[in-house]
Amino acid sequence: MKKILLSAAVITTATLALAEDVKVTPLTTHTEFGYIETNGNTKTKTFNLDAKAEKKWGKHEGKAHFDGQYAEDSGTETKNKYILELNYNYAFTDRFAFDYLVGYKVDKFSSYDYQFYTGPGAEYKAIVTEQHKLTLSGNILYSQDQGADIRYADAAKTVVIDYPNADNLPVAAIDYGKKDDYAAYRFKGVYDYQITKTLKFGQELSIRGQIDDIQNYFGYSKTSLSSKISDIFSAGISYKADYVNQPASDKEHTDTTLTLNLIMDY
């Protein structure tokens, strides 16, 4: 499956990259940065970085997205997660485009050490007006999930026991982390509402799951509100929810993050 998807991507990209008059547009970036630190009775540090970059040349477009959070409580790490996604788009029309996605996610305190996914799909701009924008996309993916090893799980919550005769224990007694490879899908919707000239609302929803196991899926939601301060800077608030339908027994289904951000568009 992996070889088939990668071969299809190479062939499709080579076919689409025919000689044409290419109009290159400047690189555009969108960066949201949040930081909170408390001292005294409580000592906490929280970082949030959500950055996007896009560049177009002719009918081609490249996109990069990084979203990460890190937190400490009295010197103890309590959150460490990030996701990196890369997209290549080829526009057939003003609204419809071929899309190829590569994604890599790390979350130290989740059920997985990492998740990797890649595959072709399509993107459609369903609504394009001055006030409202709605973009829908779907991809067929090759996915790889590396399950977390309980021996290296959250040290603050896990007691590690050294078994002298571990080789003779039942398989269920030792979990060395399982790696799963499977065919998957990803559907995503991004909606933007320009309420006023300076006030903007955004909603992003996505679901990614295993094709032959409907119970193995992951959801993501981001709700945001931003207000322009200048041509480049804005102030914003965002609420993110990460959902895992089949987490480990000691993990929650949903992990949420609420942040206040300084936003820069350049």
Side-chain angles (χ1 to χ4, degrees):
M1 173 63 73
K2 181 179 180 181
K3 291 182 179 179
I4 293 173
L5 287 173
L6 292 176
S7 298
V10 171
I11 293 172
T12 305
T13 303
T15 303
L16 295 177
L18 299 175
E20 59 181 57
D21 292 332
V22 177
K23 180 181 179 182
V24 179
T25 60
L27 177 71
T28 60
T29 63
H30 174 89
T31 305
E32 302 178 14
F33 179 75
Y35 175 71
I36 298 175
E37 180 176 354
T38 63
N39 288 288
N41 294 323
T42 59
K43 295 182 179 180
T44 63
K45 294 180 180 180
T46 304
F47 300 87
N48 174 70
L49 177 62
D50 193 338
K52 299 178 182 178
E54 299 180 3
K55 188 173 182 64
K56 294 181 179 180
W57 60 103
K59 294 184 178 182
H60 309 272
E61 182 177 17
K63 302 177 186 178
H65 180 206
F66 176 88
D67 185 9
Q69 295 94 41
Y70 179 85
E72 289 184 0
D73 188 349
S74 300
T76 301
E77 190 178 72
T78 57
K79 175 169 280 194
N80 188 340
K81 66 186 295 186
Y82 68 86
I83 183 170
L84 175 64
E85 289 192 345
L86 305 174
N87 288 82
Y88 165 75
N89 284 42
Y90 180 87
F92 293 109
T93 69
D94 290 341
R95 295 199 174 199
F96 183 71
F98 165 83
D99 174 71
Y100 192 87
L101 167 68
V102 178
Y104 186 76
K105 181 179 180 180
V106 172
D107 187 351
K108 185 175 179 179
F109 297 94
S110 74
S111 303
Y112 302 94
D113 285 339
Y114 71 83
Q115 293 181 290
F116 170 79
Y117 47 94
T118 183
E123 181 179 279
Y124 179 65
K125 297 177 181 178
I127 301 175
V128 183
T129 68
E130 289 187 4
Q131 277 192 306
H132 305 277
K133 290 180 175 60
L134 174 62
T135 302
L136 305 173
S137 63
N139 296 76
I140 299 297
L141 306 170
Y142 160 77
S143 292
Q144 185 179 94
D145 296 343
Q146 174 61 61
D149 190 329
I150 61 171
R151 296 174 301 173
Y152 304 105
D154 182 358
K157 299 178 182 178
T158 303
V159 177
V160 180
I161 301 175
D162 183 17
Y163 294 99
N165 299 314
D167 292 339
N168 297 323
L169 287 176
V171 175
I174 303 177
D175 182 8
Y176 291 106
K178 181 182 178 183
K179 181 183 291 186
D180 288 325
D181 298 85
Y182 55 88
Y185 62 86
R186 206 280 287 273
F187 299 111
K188 181 179 179 180
V190 179
Y191 172 69
D192 290 319
Y193 174 32
Q194 193 70 47
I195 303 172
T196 68
K197 289 183 178 180
T198 58
L199 189 63
K200 184 179 180 179
F201 169 81
Q203 178 65 60
E204 178 181 330
L205 292 170
S206 69
I207 182 170
R208 176 171 53 87
Q210 187 170 342
I211 291 177
D212 60 359
D213 182 1
I214 60 174
Q215 296 302 316
N216 184 29
Y217 66 87
F218 311 89
Y220 175 79
S221 171
K222 177 185 177 182
T223 305
S224 61
L225 189 66
S226 61
S227 178
K228 276 285 188 183
I229 300 174
S230 67
D231 290 340
I232 296 178
F233 293 102
S234 304
I237 182 172
S238 68
Y239 180 79
K240 301 174 184 177
D242 238 332
Y243 178 83
V244 178
N245 191 54
Q246 293 180 324
S249 58
D250 62 335
K251 303 297 181 182
E252 298 289 337
H253 284 278
T254 306
D255 187 35
T256 61
T257 306
L258 177 67
T259 59
L260 300 174
N261 304 302
L262 176 65
I263 303 170
M264 182 176 70
D265 290 287
Y266 183 74

